[in-house]
Amino acid sequence: MAGVCEGQGKGAGRSMTTILVVDDSKFFLSVLSSKLRSAGFSVIGAASIAEARVVLETRRDEIFMALLDLFLPDGPEGEVVDLAISFGVPSVVFTGNYSEDTRDRVLSKRVIDYVVKDDPSSLDYLTSLVHRLDHNRSIRAMVVDDATTARKYIADLLALYQFQVVEATNGEQALQRLADTDNIRLVITDYHMPVMDGFQLIKNIRKTWRRDQVAVIGVSSSGSSTLSAKFIKSGANDFLNKPFLREEFFCRIAMNVDLMEQVDALKAAATTDYLTGIPNRRSFFERAQPLLAAAQRGQAEVAVALIDLDHFKSINDSHGHETGDTALATVARLLVAECRQTDLVARFGGEEFCVLAFNLAGESRDAYFERLRSRISDLNLDFNGQPITLSASIGVSSNVQLGLDGMIAEADQQLYRAKQEGRNRVCWLD
């Protein structure tokens, strides 16, 4: 097999995240606003209903939700709640005075939660609540119940908590919804339903989705003391007896979704390169092995390339490791932008990256990796007024019969060749 080497020298967000905080206590308003800003939210403060009205009339489109002191000088009976609701703003009420009558009156309105600001922990709870509601906006939750009134009640609560809501009238329909709809992470299901009951639904869900992928909470009004155990044994994450308190319902949901997100974060930490945010070597091998096996069975064209930045040590030595880290992150972003969505891009360590690309052969393969090399070479980085240029040597393997390890080994040999023949070039075997 003849070696081929080409190269040339250097010459040739998020939706609305603004929180309206209404409180006549300057100290509390300042402390809460500071905590929210530290958590990444924008804050608009108001000390009265009059000020809040001006904000809502002029800046409603910016506001995600409101945190409202219940008793204000120009609204001693909680009128600020009605104001926020009239503008369609999701609202949480906080107050220093708690009573069952006040709680019942507030929660009878379309208010998310009722928080007593009796100690510093209430500030932490409010901040975590805002975080939870913000995250909920990207999550779909499904309610499964054949009783229209019960289903609509839970669906309305989930919408109040900012979930995207999907409904189903029985287990069979719920399974179809799960299969057809992306990102359903939470299922609330009744037990007694026609076609397929709650137990059978959960057992079928667990054939495809684990507890850390889709959280299932069973609900029932049957009152059986053994029903909760049966739900859990069938694969549910949690269970609630009906009727339930709204606060308990929300806390159970938040606890289960939080747990799934913590598992997601641990998985991401284990499979994502901390510096660049792209997959790491471990993740690359986990994802590439089955893809390559499928390509071998289907006789698809696959190429694996190792990309190593030239003379990178000199950047760290001359400009510092922080500058080097920024350069690596910049190259990672470029590779993700330039590669196709079907390709895998990973950082293997140090200044080395790996790309697995599908359906590339001959001239299209050569042009693809030559373009990546050229894009890296064209980067003009400026750090504190100091221009920095980069180049990369690339080794490519297209022999799928070698398997993944063999292809990487061959690409590594070609990378070494590119270095030996002058760097800033792409080498492969034909």
Side-chain angles (χ1 to χ4, degrees), residues 15-276:
S15 55
M16 301 180 297
T17 55
T18 298
I19 312 300
L20 171 62
V21 181
V22 185
D23 197 313
D24 62 324
S25 167
K26 292 183 179 180
F27 175 76
F28 189 84
L29 178 59
S30 174
V31 173
L32 180 55
S33 297
S34 177
K35 288 182 73 69
L36 290 169
R37 290 191 180 102
S38 297
F41 296 95
S42 300
V43 179
I44 301 174
S48 65
I49 291 181
E51 291 181 13
R53 184 182 299 278
V54 171
V55 172
L56 290 169
E57 289 176 346
T58 59
R59 304 178 66 177
R60 170 63 186 93
D61 290 344
E62 303 173 39
I63 297 171
F64 160 47
M65 64 176 297
L67 305 180
L68 309 171
D69 186 11
L70 189 58
F71 304 114
L72 297 167
D74 57 347
E77 299 298 324
E79 291 87 345
V80 69
V81 177
D82 297 318
L83 174 67
I85 291 174
S86 71
F87 279 87
V89 178
S91 301
V92 173
V93 167
F94 54 84
T95 180
N97 299 313
Y98 175 82
S99 73
E100 290 292 336
D101 289 342
T102 302
R103 171 196 168 278
D104 293 342
R105 178 165 57 87
V106 168
L107 292 182
S108 68
K109 302 179 180 182
R110 194 169 175 79
V111 169
I112 296 171
D113 205 352
Y114 177 95
V115 181
V116 181
K117 52 178 181 180
D118 52 354
D119 60 58
S121 66
S122 62
L123 290 170
D124 294 329
Y125 177 77
L126 281 169
T127 305
S128 66
L129 176 60
V130 172
H131 262 301
R132 177 70 272 146
L133 294 168
D134 182 38
H135 288 183
N136 287 353
R137 291 190 285 177
S138 63
I139 300 173
R140 285 192 173 93
M142 179 166 59
V143 188
V144 191
D145 200 322
D146 63 310
T148 302
T149 301
R151 187 178 69 252
K152 294 297 183 184
Y153 173 71
I154 294 179
D156 188 56
L157 286 180
L158 291 170
L160 182 63
Y161 303 145
Q162 304 305 299
F163 289 101
Q164 302 173 48
V165 184
V166 178
E167 298 183 27
T169 59
N170 58 63
E172 189 175 87
Q173 190 179 74
L175 290 174
Q176 191 63 51
R177 295 275 195 274
L178 276 168
D180 295 342
T181 310
D182 291 334
N183 203 34
I184 294 180
R185 300 296 306 274
L186 175 67
V187 175
I188 314 294
T189 180
D190 190 35
Y191 168 45
H192 293 290
M193 293 183 294
V195 184
M196 181 186 295
D197 66 24
F199 289 162
Q200 291 302 314
L201 168 61
I202 294 169
K203 290 177 181 178
N204 278 283
I205 288 175
R206 292 298 173 235
K207 291 177 182 178
T208 306
W209 295 276
R210 302 188 308 270
R211 292 175 191 256
D212 61 327
Q213 294 176 315
V214 176
V216 181
I217 300 177
V219 293
S220 180
S221 57
S222 70
S224 171
S225 60
T226 61
L227 197 58
S228 61
K230 289 180 180 178
F231 262 102
I232 302 300
K233 289 180 179 179
S234 296
N237 297 66
D238 209 340
F239 175 82
L240 276 170
N241 273 306
K242 294 192 289 187
F244 45 75
L245 291 175
R246 273 180 48 186
E247 294 99 319
E248 182 185 10
F249 179 71
F250 180 63
C251 287
R252 294 286 186 93
I253 287 173
M255 177 182 66
N256 281 282
V257 177
D258 282 345
L259 182 58
M260 283 194 299
E261 291 182 344
Q262 289 168 14
V263 173
D264 290 344
L266 289 172
K267 289 179 179 177
T271 59
T272 303
D273 177 59
Y274 75 98
L275 176 62
T276 63

Side-chain angles (χ1 to χ4, degrees), residues 299-363:
Q299 297 182 332
E301 299 287 350
V302 176
V304 172
L306 288 178
I307 304 171
D308 190 84
L309 301 182
D310 298 325
H311 302 297
F312 191 77
K313 184 176 183 297
S314 65
I315 295 178
N316 285 330
D317 292 343
S318 301
H319 303 281
H321 287 276
E322 185 176 351
T323 298
D325 289 348
T326 303
L328 288 171
T330 301
V331 171
R333 288 195 297 271
L334 181 146
L335 291 174
V336 171
E338 293 292 333
C339 292
R340 304 162 303 173
Q341 289 186 345
T342 54
D343 300 337
L344 294 182
V345 180
R347 182 185 177 202
F348 263 29
E351 59 269 24
E352 190 173 66
F353 299 86
C354 188
V355 174
L356 185 148
F358 286 89
N359 297 321
L360 288 177
E363 293 182 359

